[in-house]
């Protein structure tokens, strides 16, 4: 087969090199539709039941679940093995025997289910873990970049809707009124999710909206009434139909002169600029430098790093088929062209709330590019 599939250019030769370098005889993996490594290799979304993949002698095989053989043949660029009623791990063991693969080491991600591993081992093979798929997934192809950019654009549309609702809401005493009812974080979340769904992405449980003190909760999904003068923090991480994520955050500040929120917003904007300035040097920069430079700006405004309140998380992480994947921007890894990372400095205080600005950037040879395009960093009436 060719080294790349018909839709994304996945480089199967990377798996082959890992097999050769480890003096292994094959690579196998078993999982379901929620296993992003398996989805990356096969492009087969599959059902909620296990299926498997095997690389041997330069060829990639997929063992789909029963009743899903036709779907696998449509999306998988390698060889599809006709499924039967056996566990895919047992079928893969038989496949290795059919190809007369000598007993030896078989590479697999450490997330392979125990029962699948047992079938391979019972056939006389030793298993050894490999992170080759995590490494391969770092450098995105042009098709992958287009897919992430499309999801990020859908998140932008969701943010546009949030701003419209917040600007159109009227004051009703100490709360906001929208379309005849009090505006809450849950109501705003429904408005945002409806727009993103219409754009063809799945918001799932990844739309986080807080207001006032709940902005300091990085995973808040509760129902708070939104006060006219309270900041609102919106973190949108939808997933597209091809499996790739977007990740986009903005803070809505109704009172730009308010003390803590204004100082936090200035600190975060400058931290974002510092991080992007490091990325602008392009491939070769150390990932941790991006975090260090952003953190220095946060500290300069009095938000102490590694303290509460303060700069309590990394300035960014990789994003793709998983919402969080390599590289971490706290690591000593050199960034390479094709790395896709979030830039998301933020500061939080349980008493006042939180402010964060988040975008997705792809590292290029001589700089970076924001996927989904530019979006204003300041949101206010």
């Amino acid at each position: 087969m060719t080294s790349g599939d018909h839709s994304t250019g996945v480089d199967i030769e990377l798996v082959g090199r890992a097999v050769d370098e480890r003096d292994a005889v094959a690579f196998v993996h078993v999982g379901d539709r929620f296993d992003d490594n398996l989805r990356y290799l096969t492009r087969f979304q599959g059902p909620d039941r296990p299926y498997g993949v095997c690389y041997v002698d330069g060829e990639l095989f997929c063992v789909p679940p029963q009743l899903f053989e036709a779907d696998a043949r449509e999306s998988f660029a390698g060889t599809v093995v006709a499924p039967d009623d056996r566990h895919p791990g047992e079928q893969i063991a038989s496949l290795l025997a059919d190809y007369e693969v000598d007993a030896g080491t078989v590479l697999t991600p450490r997330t392979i289910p125990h029962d699948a591993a047992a079938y391979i081992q019972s056939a006389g093979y030793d298993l050894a873990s490999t992170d080759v798929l995590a490494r391969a997934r770092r450098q995105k192809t042009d098709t992958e970049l287009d897919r992430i950019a499309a999801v990020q654009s859908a998140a932008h549309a969701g943010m546009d809707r949030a701003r419209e609702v917040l600007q159109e809401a009227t004051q009703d005493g100490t709360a906001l009124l929208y379309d005849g009812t009090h505006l809450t974080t849950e109501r705003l979340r429904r408005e945002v999710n409806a727009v993103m769904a219409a754009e063809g992405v799945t918001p799932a449980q990844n739309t986080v909206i807080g207001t006032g003190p709940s902005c300091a909760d990085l995973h808040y999904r509760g129902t708070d009434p939104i006060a006219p003068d309270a900041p609102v923090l919106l973190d949108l991480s939808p997933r597209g139909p091809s499996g790739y994520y977007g990740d986009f955050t903005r803070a809505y500040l109704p009172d730009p002169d308010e003390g803590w929120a204004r100082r936090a917003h200035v600190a975060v904007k400058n931290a974002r600029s510092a991080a992007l300035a490091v990325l602008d040097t392009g491939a070769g920069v150390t990932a941790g430098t991006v975090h260090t430079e952003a953190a220095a700006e946060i500290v300069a405004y009095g938000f102490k790093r590694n303290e509460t309140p303060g700069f309590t998380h990394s300035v960014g992480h990789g994003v793709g088929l998983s919402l969080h994947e390599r590289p971490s921007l706290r690591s000593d890894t050199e960034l390479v062209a094709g790395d896709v990372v979030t830039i998301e400095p933020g500061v939080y205080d349980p008493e006042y709330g939180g402010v964060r600005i988040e975008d997705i950037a792809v590292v290029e040879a001589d700089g970076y590019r924001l996927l989904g395009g530019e979006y204003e960093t300041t949101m206010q009436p």
Side-chain angles (χ1 to χ4, degrees), residues 229-263:
D229 59 348
V232 179
L233 188 64
L234 306 101
D235 183 356
L236 315 182
S237 305
R239 196 175 200 184
S242 59
Y244 289 87
Y245 280 95
D247 209 356
F248 180 52
T249 304
R250 287 296 186 270
Y252 182 84
L253 304 176
D255 184 0
D257 296 324
E258 193 275 330
W260 186 91
R262 178 182 180 278
R263 184 165 59 91

Side-chain angles (χ1 to χ4, degrees), residues 296-316:
E297 288 293 327
I298 297 293
V299 171
Y301 282 87
F303 301 98
K304 301 300 183 182
R305 183 181 178 186
N306 296 327
E307 295 180 10
T308 300
F311 190 38
T312 57
H313 57 74
S314 171
V315 76

Side-chain angles (χ1 to χ4, degrees), residues 350-371:
E351 181 179 353
Y352 297 105
V355 174
R356 183 168 68 256
I357 302 173
E358 179 180 26
D359 299 281
I360 293 179
V362 55
V363 179
E364 299 179 331
D366 55 357
Y368 72 91
R369 174 167 54 93
L370 293 181
L371 296 181

Side-chain angles (χ1 to χ4, degrees), residues 137-138 140 145 148 152 245-247 275-276 278-279 285 287 290 314-320 323-331 333-336 338-344 358-364 367-371:
R137 286 167 55 187
R138 273 189 58 183
K140 306 299 190 290
L145 294 176
I148 296 170
Q152 192 75 342
Y245 280 95
D247 209 356
L276 292 177
V278 176
L279 279 191
V285 67
V290 184
S314 171
V315 76
H317 55 81
V319 62
L323 185 54
H324 293 81
E325 60 184 47
R326 297 184 185 184
S328 166
L329 293 186
R330 271 184 169 165
S331 69
T333 302
E334 283 193 2
L335 296 179
V336 298
D339 273 335
V340 172
V341 296
T342 64
I343 299 297
E344 50 174 311
E358 179 180 26
D359 299 281
I360 293 179
V362 55
V363 179
E364 299 179 331
Y368 72 91
R369 174 167 54 93
L370 293 181
L371 296 181

Side-chain angles (χ1 to χ4, degrees), residues 44 62-76 80-84:
F44 171 51
C62 179
V63 181
Q66 287 185 296
L67 306 180
F68 288 87
E69 181 179 352
D71 295 332
R73 292 188 184 280
E74 182 177 348
S75 57
F76 181 60
V80 175
V81 178
D84 54 36

Side-chain angles (χ1 to χ4, degrees), residues 77-94:
T79 300
V80 175
V81 178
D84 54 36
D85 59 359
R86 293 178 296 171
H87 188 282
E90 187 176 4
Q91 279 197 268
I92 288 174
S94 295

Side-chain angles (χ1 to χ4, degrees), residues 4-10 40 43 140-144 147 244:
D5 77 12
H6 58 285
S7 62
T8 58
V10 173
Y40 173 78
R43 298 302 160 183
K140 306 299 190 290
T141 65
D142 288 343
T143 299
E144 289 178 295
R147 290 176 175 179
Y244 289 87

